[in-house]
Amino acid sequence: MGEINKEISALEEKKSPNKKEKAKLEKLKKDLETKTDKASDLRPDHTASNQEYLAFFEASPSSAEGRRAALHAVKGFLNKKEFKKAKELTEKLLSGMSKSSLFYPSVTKLYIKILSELSETDAALSKVEELLTFSSEKEEPETLLLKGVLLLQKGSNEEASKTFDAVVTHFHAGQSVKSQAKAYKALTF
């Protein structure tokens, strides 16, 4: 496309182009537009790599590498908006993971967000409650924020408002989390 742009620039710089040059300029502009449209329609297909990740996870589901492969596959499903497949794989991943694992809280949050995308707010809220039982005080504000968003999604505005208040007044809540809680709380009125 660089060559087309150069030709277009050269023709546009001419002070009085003839009919042939004007026609060529219009044709080049249309060609450039067509190529730009085609390029923007291209999407990578990671189906093969996703299958490899899944196969690796199935072969070694309890290893750190196997779990990482599963997370890559989940990411692929999410990019393709295949939320049910992402949910199923995340469930498998969580079922084989100890709650004391370093990655359990972040994988659980990912699972909760997938449930939210599928409008399974009751199941997501149940997982949030489970997560709150073993979250550290520093992790609690983000988990509470997630709970408030789910309550808002469910239509429980009063309970969501109280949850957002708890985030705003939480000692360990960072400024970013507090700001998000305030913004979400505004949606509860």
Side-chain angles (χ1 to χ4, degrees):
M1 284 194 268
E3 292 297 318
I4 294 175
N5 281 329
K6 287 178 186 177
E7 286 185 61
I8 289 173
S9 294
L11 287 170
E12 286 178 336
E13 288 177 3
K14 290 194 173 196
K15 296 200 185 226
S16 55
N18 60 36
K19 286 183 180 182
K20 188 176 177 182
E21 291 170 332
K22 285 181 182 178
K24 184 176 181 180
L25 178 62
E26 289 305 313
K27 183 183 181 308
L28 287 171
K29 284 183 178 181
K30 283 184 182 179
D31 288 348
L32 180 63
E33 186 177 323
T34 301
K35 287 183 179 186
T36 303
D37 288 344
K38 284 181 183 178
S40 67
D41 288 341
L42 293 176
R43 299 278 182 256
D45 184 8
H46 298 290
T47 305
S49 58
N50 245 18
Q51 290 171 346
E52 293 291 323
Y53 286 132
L54 286 171
F56 189 83
F57 172 66
E58 295 296 331
S60 49
S62 59
S63 72
E65 293 84 2
R67 291 179 181 139
R68 181 175 291 156
L71 286 172
H72 280 291
V74 168
K75 179 182 175 189
F77 290 139
L78 293 175
N79 286 339
K80 292 169 73 175
K81 299 197 183 313
E82 294 177 343
F83 298 113
K84 287 186 180 186
K85 288 182 180 179
K87 174 190 169 189
E88 291 169 7
L89 184 54
T90 309
E91 285 172 344
K92 274 186 184 178
L93 187 59
L94 285 170
S95 70
M97 191 181 284
S98 167
K99 289 183 181 180
S100 62
S101 166
L102 183 63
F103 299 107
Y104 189 83
S106 55
V107 175
T108 302
K109 286 179 186 175
L110 174 64
Y111 180 63
I112 291 166
K113 291 175 184 178
I114 293 168
L115 290 173
S116 173
E117 282 292 331
L118 292 168
S119 298
E120 296 180 24
T121 52
D122 289 332
L125 283 165
S126 174
K127 267 304 196 189
V128 166
E129 290 302 328
E130 176 189 318
L131 193 57
L132 281 169
T133 62
F134 61 86
S135 292
S136 71
E137 280 193 34
K138 288 186 178 183
E139 295 170 326
E140 197 173 82
E142 286 186 21
T143 308
L144 284 171
L145 180 67
L146 187 54
K147 178 182 178 178
V149 170
L150 289 167
L151 288 167
L152 193 61
Q153 182 180 356
K154 186 178 176 179
S156 302
N157 290 0
E158 190 175 320
E159 196 176 347
S161 179
K162 290 176 184 175
T163 305
F164 294 133
D165 285 338
V167 173
V168 171
T169 59
H170 198 285
F171 179 74
H172 291 288
Q175 202 54 43
S176 172
V177 174
K178 286 181 180 183
S179 295
Q180 289 177 45
K182 289 176 184 176
Y184 279 120
K185 181 175 174 155
L187 297 175
T188 63
F189 296 114

